[in-house]
Amino acid sequence: KLLDNHWYFQVFYTGNLKGNHSHHYRYLTSLAEVKTDALKKWTREQKLAFWINAYNAFTIQTILERYPIKSRSLIGIFSPKNSILQISGVWTRLKFDVGGQRLTLGQIEHDILRKKFDEARIHFAIVCASRSCPVLRSEAYRADSIDRQLEAQTLQFINDPDRGVRWDAVKRRLYLSKIFKWFRADFKKQVSTGNVSGSSQKTENPLLVFIRPYLTGQPIKDALGDGQEIRVSYLHYDWRLNDSAENRT
């Protein structure tokens, strides 16, 4: 129910979402009540959905409890105003009760989601509350539909020229989200294990192999298929908060 109140790729922190703290905290309580032994018995799909939902819920909690964000450390000088980057230790120090453990967002992302699932599409599902991060899905992830949901998130992100992939036909340059740069190893691994349809050439850029099946724009599909050299650069990552209120003022 909580996620029904977000606005497309931005969140209305000052309105519907902030007014529904009770729903959110009930959900957080349910995450804490899941015991480690019970979690171990769940299917892979159940665990994957659980940890993605937990990550996003804790990210929302972190923002709500500090909104509007005001930095109390020197890091705020170098970060955008009202940005998650202004929260000291947001990924490494703040801990949350979940599945019988106390974990940071970084531990959920790197030690659990990335390490245990080998699923590169998680990078289009977990949300860092920033404008360049993937869209916050308007429904929770579910074990019985997790693959479809991840496919939809990946398709949406890759075909978003502002966040995911942008093609400059004049310069013959492909601009990718920095998510592809930061987590290149994850996408390369998924390609190498055969979980992505694409080129069988081992020398081809694995990022291009990964994104090709998801592209819907014909010019970029033609460019990647004509065998000519493609230069790759990375889009600016906008760390400003994905706050719809800022666009309403």
Side-chain angles (χ1 to χ4, degrees), residues 15-55:
N16 290 339
L17 193 53
K18 193 165 185 178
N20 278 328
H21 269 202
S22 60
H23 294 296
H24 189 53
Y25 281 104
R26 281 200 296 271
Y27 181 65
L28 296 178
T29 299
S30 72
L31 294 175
E33 290 175 346
V34 175
K35 304 301 181 184
T36 304
D37 290 342
L39 187 57
K40 288 179 180 179
K41 298 176 183 178
W42 290 4
T43 66
R44 178 185 182 277
E45 290 73 21
Q46 288 174 319
K47 294 174 184 176
L48 182 56
F50 175 82
W51 288 114
I52 292 174
N53 290 332
Y55 185 97

mmCIF file of all heavy atoms in Angstrom, residues 15-55:
data_model
loop_
_atom_site.group_PDB
_atom_site.id
_atom_site.type_symbol
_atom_site.label_atom_id
_atom_site.label_comp_id
_atom_site.label_asym_id
_atom_site.label_seq_id
_atom_site.Cartn_x
_atom_site.Cartn_y
_atom_site.Cartn_z
ATOM 1 N N GLY A 15 3.953 14.616 1.135
ATOM 2 C CA GLY A 15 2.514 14.401 1.025
ATOM 3 C C GLY A 15 2.090 13.015 1.429
ATOM 4 O O GLY A 15 2.242 12.604 2.568
ATOM 5 N N ASN A 16 1.572 12.250 0.461
ATOM 6 C CA ASN A 16 0.999 10.944 0.764
ATOM 7 C C ASN A 16 1.943 10.017 1.505
ATOM 8 O O ASN A 16 1.571 9.360 2.462
ATOM 9 C CB ASN A 16 0.569 10.267 -0.550
ATOM 10 C CG ASN A 16 -0.630 10.951 -1.158
ATOM 11 O OD1 ASN A 16 -1.362 11.637 -0.473
ATOM 12 N ND2 ASN A 16 -0.807 10.771 -2.447
ATOM 13 N N LEU A 17 3.205 9.952 1.035
ATOM 14 C CA LEU A 17 4.129 9.002 1.624
ATOM 15 C C LEU A 17 4.433 9.341 3.065
ATOM 16 O O LEU A 17 4.405 8.504 3.943
ATOM 17 C CB LEU A 17 5.425 8.987 0.801
ATOM 18 C CG LEU A 17 6.399 7.848 1.081
ATOM 19 C CD1 LEU A 17 5.698 6.506 0.979
ATOM 20 C CD2 LEU A 17 7.563 7.917 0.126
ATOM 21 N N LYS A 18 4.709 10.615 3.326
ATOM 22 C CA LYS A 18 5.042 10.995 4.693
ATOM 23 C C LYS A 18 3.829 10.859 5.609
ATOM 24 O O LYS A 18 3.962 10.600 6.802
ATOM 25 C CB LYS A 18 5.588 12.426 4.729
ATOM 26 C CG LYS A 18 6.246 12.759 6.056
ATOM 27 C CD LYS A 18 7.087 14.017 5.973
ATOM 28 C CE LYS A 18 7.828 14.239 7.286
ATOM 29 N NZ LYS A 18 8.692 15.427 7.247
ATOM 30 N N GLY A 19 2.657 10.987 5.078
ATOM 31 C CA GLY A 19 1.466 10.882 5.897
ATOM 32 C C GLY A 19 1.094 9.457 6.250
ATOM 33 O O GLY A 19 0.194 9.228 7.036
ATOM 34 N N ASN A 20 1.788 8.485 5.658
ATOM 35 C CA ASN A 20 1.459 7.084 5.901
ATOM 36 C C ASN A 20 2.561 6.366 6.670
ATOM 37 O O ASN A 20 2.875 5.214 6.397
ATOM 38 C CB ASN A 20 1.222 6.365 4.563
ATOM 39 C CG ASN A 20 -0.184 6.599 4.052
ATOM 40 O OD1 ASN A 20 -1.110 6.751 4.840
ATOM 41 N ND2 ASN A 20 -0.325 6.645 2.741
ATOM 42 N N HIS A 21 3.141 7.046 7.631
ATOM 43 C CA HIS A 21 4.187 6.425 8.432
ATOM 44 C C HIS A 21 3.716 5.138 9.089
ATOM 45 O O HIS A 21 4.486 4.191 9.228
ATOM 46 C CB HIS A 21 4.660 7.410 9.513
ATOM 47 C CG HIS A 21 5.807 8.252 9.064
ATOM 48 N ND1 HIS A 21 6.661 8.854 9.947
ATOM 49 C CD2 HIS A 21 6.248 8.593 7.833
ATOM 50 C CE1 HIS A 21 7.587 9.528 9.282
ATOM 51 N NE2 HIS A 21 7.345 9.388 8.008
ATOM 52 N N SER A 22 2.475 5.095 9.524
ATOM 53 C CA SER A 22 1.989 3.915 10.244
ATOM 54 C C SER A 22 2.051 2.670 9.375
ATOM 55 O O SER A 22 2.445 1.595 9.841
ATOM 56 C CB SER A 22 0.557 4.146 10.733
ATOM 57 O OG SER A 22 -0.323 4.391 9.636
ATOM 58 N N HIS A 23 1.672 2.797 8.095
ATOM 59 C CA HIS A 23 1.763 1.663 7.177
ATOM 60 C C HIS A 23 3.220 1.223 7.023
ATOM 61 O O HIS A 23 3.526 0.029 7.033
ATOM 62 C CB HIS A 23 1.204 2.038 5.797
ATOM 63 C CG HIS A 23 -0.259 2.326 5.795
ATOM 64 N ND1 HIS A 23 -1.205 1.371 6.091
ATOM 65 C CD2 HIS A 23 -0.937 3.464 5.523
ATOM 66 C CE1 HIS A 23 -2.416 1.919 5.998
ATOM 67 N NE2 HIS A 23 -2.276 3.182 5.659
ATOM 68 N N HIS A 24 4.076 2.209 6.871
ATOM 69 C CA HIS A 24 5.484 1.914 6.638
ATOM 70 C C HIS A 24 6.102 1.206 7.842
ATOM 71 O O HIS A 24 6.803 0.196 7.698
ATOM 72 C CB HIS A 24 6.233 3.209 6.326
ATOM 73 C CG HIS A 24 7.639 2.992 5.857
ATOM 74 N ND1 HIS A 24 7.953 2.154 4.815
ATOM 75 C CD2 HIS A 24 8.819 3.493 6.295
ATOM 76 C CE1 HIS A 24 9.260 2.150 4.616
ATOM 77 N NE2 HIS A 24 9.810 2.953 5.502
ATOM 78 N N TYR A 25 5.842 1.707 9.026
ATOM 79 C CA TYR A 25 6.459 1.114 10.208
ATOM 80 C C TYR A 25 5.887 -0.265 10.530
ATOM 81 O O TYR A 25 6.592 -1.115 11.089
ATOM 82 C CB TYR A 25 6.349 2.066 11.403
ATOM 83 C CG TYR A 25 7.403 3.152 11.335
ATOM 84 C CD1 TYR A 25 7.069 4.445 10.941
ATOM 85 C CD2 TYR A 25 8.730 2.863 11.635
ATOM 86 C CE1 TYR A 25 8.041 5.425 10.845
ATOM 87 C CE2 TYR A 25 9.702 3.840 11.541
ATOM 88 C CZ TYR A 25 9.366 5.121 11.148
ATOM 89 O OH TYR A 25 10.337 6.083 11.042
ATOM 90 N N ARG A 26 4.649 -0.513 10.166
ATOM 91 C CA ARG A 26 4.118 -1.865 10.321
ATOM 92 C C ARG A 26 4.871 -2.833 9.414
ATOM 93 O O ARG A 26 5.148 -3.977 9.790
ATOM 94 C CB ARG A 26 2.614 -1.887 10.025
ATOM 95 C CG ARG A 26 1.755 -1.389 11.180
ATOM 96 C CD ARG A 26 0.316 -1.867 11.033
ATOM 97 N NE ARG A 26 -0.329 -1.318 9.857
ATOM 98 C CZ ARG A 26 -0.999 -0.158 9.842
ATOM 99 N NH1 ARG A 26 -1.087 0.577 10.947
ATOM 100 N NH2 ARG A 26 -1.575 0.274 8.740
ATOM 101 N N TYR A 27 5.177 -2.356 8.220
ATOM 102 C CA TYR A 27 5.934 -3.200 7.297
ATOM 103 C C TYR A 27 7.353 -3.429 7.810
ATOM 104 O O TYR A 27 7.879 -4.553 7.759
ATOM 105 C CB TYR A 27 5.978 -2.569 5.906
ATOM 106 C CG TYR A 27 6.736 -3.411 4.911
ATOM 107 C CD1 TYR A 27 6.264 -4.668 4.541
ATOM 108 C CD2 TYR A 27 7.931 -2.971 4.366
ATOM 109 C CE1 TYR A 27 6.959 -5.460 3.645
ATOM 110 C CE2 TYR A 27 8.640 -3.760 3.467
ATOM 111 C CZ TYR A 27 8.151 -4.998 3.115
ATOM 112 O OH TYR A 27 8.835 -5.786 2.242
ATOM 113 N N LEU A 28 7.982 -2.393 8.338
ATOM 114 C CA LEU A 28 9.328 -2.549 8.893
ATOM 115 C C LEU A 28 9.324 -3.551 10.047
ATOM 116 O O LEU A 28 10.258 -4.352 10.194
ATOM 117 C CB LEU A 28 9.865 -1.197 9.372
ATOM 118 C CG LEU A 28 10.072 -0.126 8.297
ATOM 119 C CD1 LEU A 28 10.568 1.161 8.937
ATOM 120 C CD2 LEU A 28 11.045 -0.600 7.234
ATOM 121 N N THR A 29 8.287 -3.495 10.860
ATOM 122 C CA THR A 29 8.161 -4.451 11.961
ATOM 123 C C THR A 29 8.066 -5.872 11.440
ATOM 124 O O THR A 29 8.666 -6.803 11.995
ATOM 125 C CB THR A 29 6.928 -4.122 12.823
ATOM 126 O OG1 THR A 29 7.079 -2.811 13.386
ATOM 127 C CG2 THR A 29 6.763 -5.133 13.947
ATOM 128 N N SER A 30 7.321 -6.056 10.349
ATOM 129 C CA SER A 30 7.185 -7.396 9.778
ATOM 130 C C SER A 30 8.517 -7.911 9.250
ATOM 131 O O SER A 30 8.802 -9.114 9.323
ATOM 132 C CB SER A 30 6.145 -7.394 8.652
ATOM 133 O OG SER A 30 6.620 -6.727 7.498
ATOM 134 N N LEU A 31 9.368 -7.019 8.729
ATOM 135 C CA LEU A 31 10.690 -7.428 8.264
ATOM 136 C C LEU A 31 11.551 -7.912 9.425
ATOM 137 O O LEU A 31 12.290 -8.892 9.312
ATOM 138 C CB LEU A 31 11.394 -6.259 7.559
ATOM 139 C CG LEU A 31 10.778 -5.757 6.251
ATOM 140 C CD1 LEU A 31 11.528 -4.529 5.767
ATOM 141 C CD2 LEU A 31 10.812 -6.848 5.185
ATOM 142 N N ALA A 32 11.438 -7.214 10.549
ATOM 143 C CA ALA A 32 12.229 -7.576 11.729
ATOM 144 C C ALA A 32 11.746 -8.877 12.349
ATOM 145 O O ALA A 32 12.523 -9.593 12.997
ATOM 146 C CB ALA A 32 12.171 -6.444 12.753
ATOM 147 N N GLU A 33 10.480 -9.200 12.168
ATOM 148 C CA GLU A 33 9.913 -10.390 12.802
ATOM 149 C C GLU A 33 10.247 -11.686 12.070
ATOM 150 O O GLU A 33 10.043 -12.775 12.611
ATOM 151 C CB GLU A 33 8.394 -10.227 12.916
ATOM 152 C CG GLU A 33 7.977 -9.166 13.941
ATOM 153 C CD GLU A 33 6.483 -8.927 13.953
ATOM 154 O OE1 GLU A 33 5.803 -9.374 12.989
ATOM 155 O OE2 GLU A 33 5.992 -8.288 14.902
ATOM 156 N N VAL A 34 10.738 -11.581 10.845
ATOM 157 C CA VAL A 34 11.134 -12.775 10.104
ATOM 158 C C VAL A 34 12.395 -13.353 10.742
ATOM 159 O O VAL A 34 13.399 -12.662 10.888
ATOM 160 C CB VAL A 34 11.400 -12.447 8.619
ATOM 161 C CG1 VAL A 34 11.924 -13.682 7.890
ATOM 162 C CG2 VAL A 34 10.123 -11.945 7.951
ATOM 163 N N LYS A 35 12.355 -14.599 11.146
ATOM 164 C CA LYS A 35 13.477 -15.240 11.814
ATOM 165 C C LYS A 35 14.461 -15.832 10.800
ATOM 166 O O LYS A 35 14.073 -16.248 9.708
ATOM 167 C CB LYS A 35 12.982 -16.343 12.746
ATOM 168 C CG LYS A 35 11.968 -15.872 13.786
ATOM 169 C CD LYS A 35 12.542 -14.762 14.672
ATOM 170 C CE LYS A 35 11.532 -14.314 15.723
ATOM 171 N NZ LYS A 35 12.041 -13.168 16.521
ATOM 172 N N THR A 36 15.714 -15.878 11.208
ATOM 173 C CA THR A 36 16.766 -16.381 10.328
ATOM 174 C C THR A 36 16.483 -17.808 9.876
ATOM 175 O O THR A 36 16.633 -18.150 8.693
ATOM 176 C CB THR A 36 18.129 -16.328 11.034
ATOM 177 O OG1 THR A 36 18.389 -14.988 11.461
ATOM 178 C CG2 THR A 36 19.241 -16.779 10.104
ATOM 179 N N ASP A 37 16.086 -18.675 10.796
ATOM 180 C CA ASP A 37 15.828 -20.074 10.449
ATOM 181 C C ASP A 37 14.682 -20.212 9.448
ATOM 182 O O ASP A 37 14.734 -21.048 8.543
ATOM 183 C CB ASP A 37 15.507 -20.882 11.713
ATOM 184 C CG ASP A 37 16.731 -21.058 12.604
ATOM 185 O OD1 ASP A 37 17.847 -20.877 12.105
ATOM 186 O OD2 ASP A 37 16.556 -21.369 13.796
ATOM 187 N N ALA A 38 13.656 -19.400 9.618
ATOM 188 C CA ALA A 38 12.527 -19.438 8.691
ATOM 189 C C ALA A 38 12.958 -18.944 7.309
ATOM 190 O O ALA A 38 12.584 -19.528 6.276
ATOM 191 C CB ALA A 38 11.382 -18.592 9.226
ATOM 192 N N LEU A 39 13.747 -17.900 7.285
ATOM 193 C CA LEU A 39 14.210 -17.315 6.030
ATOM 194 C C LEU A 39 15.041 -18.316 5.229
ATOM 195 O O LEU A 39 14.956 -18.364 3.995
ATOM 196 C CB LEU A 39 15.024 -16.054 6.324
ATOM 197 C CG LEU A 39 15.478 -15.192 5.142
ATOM 198 C CD1 LEU A 39 14.294 -14.745 4.301
ATOM 199 C CD2 LEU A 39 16.261 -13.984 5.642
ATOM 200 N N LYS A 40 15.824 -19.118 5.911
ATOM 201 C CA LYS A 40 16.668 -20.103 5.234
ATOM 202 C C LYS A 40 15.842 -21.126 4.461
ATOM 203 O O LYS A 40 16.326 -21.712 3.485
ATOM 204 C CB LYS A 40 17.552 -20.816 6.251
ATOM 205 C CG LYS A 40 18.669 -19.960 6.824
ATOM 206 C CD LYS A 40 19.482 -20.747 7.836
ATOM 207 C CE LYS A 40 20.608 -19.896 8.424
ATOM 208 N NZ LYS A 40 21.388 -20.652 9.440
ATOM 209 N N LYS A 41 14.619 -21.361 4.882
ATOM 210 C CA LYS A 41 13.775 -22.376 4.253
ATOM 211 C C LYS A 41 13.000 -21.834 3.046
ATOM 212 O O LYS A 41 12.342 -22.606 2.341
ATOM 213 C CB LYS A 41 12.799 -22.943 5.284
ATOM 214 C CG LYS A 41 13.490 -23.646 6.453
ATOM 215 C CD LYS A 41 12.479 -24.107 7.488
ATOM 216 C CE LYS A 41 13.168 -24.754 8.694
ATOM 217 N NZ LYS A 41 12.198 -25.166 9.739
ATOM 218 N N TRP A 42 13.046 -20.550 2.841
ATOM 219 C CA TRP A 42 12.304 -19.953 1.737
ATOM 220 C C TRP A 42 12.965 -20.307 0.406
ATOM 221 O O TRP A 42 14.151 -20.633 0.321
ATOM 222 C CB TRP A 42 12.265 -18.435 1.888
ATOM 223 C CG TRP A 42 11.405 -17.959 3.018
ATOM 224 C CD1 TRP A 42 10.747 -18.711 3.935
ATOM 225 C CD2 TRP A 42 11.140 -16.591 3.350
ATOM 226 N NE1 TRP A 42 10.065 -17.906 4.814
ATOM 227 C CE2 TRP A 42 10.291 -16.605 4.488
ATOM 228 C CE3 TRP A 42 11.526 -15.375 2.809
ATOM 229 C CZ2 TRP A 42 9.826 -15.437 5.080
ATOM 230 C CZ3 TRP A 42 11.070 -14.203 3.388
ATOM 231 C CH2 TRP A 42 10.222 -14.242 4.509
ATOM 232 N N THR A 43 12.195 -20.181 -0.678
ATOM 233 C CA THR A 43 12.732 -20.388 -2.019
ATOM 234 C C THR A 43 13.626 -19.216 -2.407
ATOM 235 O O THR A 43 13.600 -18.154 -1.771
ATOM 236 C CB THR A 43 11.608 -20.512 -3.056
ATOM 237 O OG1 THR A 43 10.917 -19.243 -3.154
ATOM 238 C CG2 THR A 43 10.626 -21.604 -2.669
ATOM 239 N N ARG A 44 14.409 -19.410 -3.454
ATOM 240 C CA ARG A 44 15.270 -18.333 -3.946
ATOM 241 C C ARG A 44 14.441 -17.104 -4.296
ATOM 242 O O ARG A 44 14.827 -15.967 -3.995
ATOM 243 C CB ARG A 44 16.039 -18.801 -5.184
ATOM 244 C CG ARG A 44 16.928 -17.715 -5.804
ATOM 245 C CD ARG A 44 17.573 -18.188 -7.104
ATOM 246 N NE ARG A 44 18.450 -17.183 -7.664
ATOM 247 C CZ ARG A 44 18.041 -16.163 -8.416
ATOM 248 N NH1 ARG A 44 16.741 -16.034 -8.682
ATOM 249 N NH2 ARG A 44 18.907 -15.283 -8.899
ATOM 250 N N GLU A 45 13.300 -17.330 -4.950
ATOM 251 C CA GLU A 45 12.451 -16.210 -5.370
ATOM 252 C C GLU A 45 11.886 -15.462 -4.166
ATOM 253 O O GLU A 45 11.799 -14.219 -4.178
ATOM 254 C CB GLU A 45 11.317 -16.712 -6.251
ATOM 255 C CG GLU A 45 11.736 -17.206 -7.627
ATOM 256 C CD GLU A 45 12.448 -18.546 -7.588
ATOM 257 O OE1 GLU A 45 12.285 -19.282 -6.599
ATOM 258 O OE2 GLU A 45 13.182 -18.848 -8.548
ATOM 259 N N GLN A 46 11.513 -16.191 -3.135
ATOM 260 C CA GLN A 46 11.004 -15.550 -1.921
ATOM 261 C C GLN A 46 12.072 -14.704 -1.252
ATOM 262 O O GLN A 46 11.821 -13.578 -0.819
ATOM 263 C CB GLN A 46 10.489 -16.611 -0.945
ATOM 264 C CG GLN A 46 9.192 -17.276 -1.370
ATOM 265 C CD GLN A 46 8.813 -18.419 -0.452
ATOM 266 O OE1 GLN A 46 9.658 -19.214 -0.022
ATOM 267 N NE2 GLN A 46 7.524 -18.518 -0.118
ATOM 268 N N LYS A 47 13.266 -15.233 -1.170
ATOM 269 C CA LYS A 47 14.372 -14.507 -0.545
ATOM 270 C C LYS A 47 14.739 -13.263 -1.356
ATOM 271 O O LYS A 47 14.972 -12.192 -0.795
ATOM 272 C CB LYS A 47 15.596 -15.411 -0.414
ATOM 273 C CG LYS A 47 15.428 -16.576 0.541
ATOM 274 C CD LYS A 47 16.649 -17.487 0.491
ATOM 275 C CE LYS A 47 16.476 -18.714 1.365
ATOM 276 N NZ LYS A 47 17.630 -19.651 1.240
ATOM 277 N N LEU A 48 14.798 -13.409 -2.662
ATOM 278 C CA LEU A 48 15.165 -12.286 -3.518
ATOM 279 C C LEU A 48 14.163 -11.146 -3.373
ATOM 280 O O LEU A 48 14.543 -9.977 -3.202
ATOM 281 C CB LEU A 48 15.242 -12.743 -4.975
ATOM 282 C CG LEU A 48 15.657 -11.708 -6.015
ATOM 283 C CD1 LEU A 48 16.996 -11.082 -5.671
ATOM 284 C CD2 LEU A 48 15.701 -12.344 -7.412
ATOM 285 N N ALA A 49 12.888 -11.464 -3.433
ATOM 286 C CA ALA A 49 11.852 -10.439 -3.275
ATOM 287 C C ALA A 49 11.936 -9.801 -1.889
ATOM 288 O O ALA A 49 11.808 -8.575 -1.744
ATOM 289 C CB ALA A 49 10.470 -11.054 -3.492
ATOM 290 N N PHE A 50 12.150 -10.619 -0.878
ATOM 291 C CA PHE A 50 12.238 -10.128 0.501
ATOM 292 C C PHE A 50 13.350 -9.104 0.650
ATOM 293 O O PHE A 50 13.144 -8.016 1.212
ATOM 294 C CB PHE A 50 12.478 -11.309 1.447
ATOM 295 C CG PHE A 50 12.708 -10.921 2.880
ATOM 296 C CD1 PHE A 50 11.640 -10.656 3.722
ATOM 297 C CD2 PHE A 50 13.998 -10.825 3.397
ATOM 298 C CE1 PHE A 50 11.843 -10.304 5.058
ATOM 299 C CE2 PHE A 50 14.220 -10.476 4.721
ATOM 300 C CZ PHE A 50 13.140 -10.213 5.553
ATOM 301 N N TRP A 51 14.538 -9.408 0.145
ATOM 302 C CA TRP A 51 15.681 -8.514 0.347
ATOM 303 C C TRP A 51 15.587 -7.250 -0.497
ATOM 304 O O TRP A 51 16.013 -6.173 -0.064
ATOM 305 C CB TRP A 51 16.983 -9.277 0.084
ATOM 306 C CG TRP A 51 17.307 -10.260 1.162
ATOM 307 C CD1 TRP A 51 17.346 -11.623 1.075
ATOM 308 C CD2 TRP A 51 17.626 -9.958 2.529
ATOM 309 N NE1 TRP A 51 17.655 -12.187 2.279
ATOM 310 C CE2 TRP A 51 17.843 -11.187 3.193
ATOM 311 C CE3 TRP A 51 17.742 -8.767 3.247
ATOM 312 C CZ2 TRP A 51 18.175 -11.256 4.546
ATOM 313 C CZ3 TRP A 51 18.073 -8.834 4.600
ATOM 314 C CH2 TRP A 51 18.285 -10.065 5.236
ATOM 315 N N ILE A 52 15.035 -7.340 -1.700
ATOM 316 C CA ILE A 52 14.827 -6.131 -2.501
ATOM 317 C C ILE A 52 13.833 -5.203 -1.804
ATOM 318 O O ILE A 52 14.061 -3.996 -1.677
ATOM 319 C CB ILE A 52 14.333 -6.483 -3.917
ATOM 320 C CG1 ILE A 52 15.428 -7.184 -4.713
ATOM 321 C CG2 ILE A 52 13.889 -5.212 -4.664
ATOM 322 C CD1 ILE A 52 14.973 -7.685 -6.075
ATOM 323 N N ASN A 53 12.726 -5.766 -1.350
ATOM 324 C CA ASN A 53 11.721 -4.967 -0.646
ATOM 325 C C ASN A 53 12.293 -4.347 0.623
ATOM 326 O O ASN A 53 12.002 -3.193 0.956
ATOM 327 C CB ASN A 53 10.507 -5.834 -0.298
ATOM 328 C CG ASN A 53 9.701 -6.227 -1.515
ATOM 329 O OD1 ASN A 53 9.675 -5.516 -2.513
ATOM 330 N ND2 ASN A 53 9.044 -7.365 -1.443
ATOM 331 N N ALA A 54 13.101 -5.117 1.340
ATOM 332 C CA ALA A 54 13.702 -4.611 2.568
ATOM 333 C C ALA A 54 14.623 -3.436 2.273
ATOM 334 O O ALA A 54 14.570 -2.404 2.959
ATOM 335 C CB ALA A 54 14.477 -5.726 3.276
ATOM 336 N N TYR A 55 15.454 -3.576 1.262
ATOM 337 C CA TYR A 55 16.379 -2.493 0.901
ATOM 338 C C TYR A 55 15.620 -1.210 0.592
ATOM 339 O O TYR A 55 15.950 -0.130 1.096
ATOM 340 C CB TYR A 55 17.233 -2.902 -0.302
ATOM 341 C CG TYR A 55 18.287 -1.878 -0.664
ATOM 342 C CD1 TYR A 55 19.593 -2.026 -0.217
ATOM 343 C CD2 TYR A 55 17.977 -0.764 -1.452
ATOM 344 C CE1 TYR A 55 20.566 -1.080 -0.539
ATOM 345 C CE2 TYR A 55 18.932 0.176 -1.766
ATOM 346 C CZ TYR A 55 20.229 0.012 -1.311
ATOM 347 O OH TYR A 55 21.188 0.952 -1.625
#
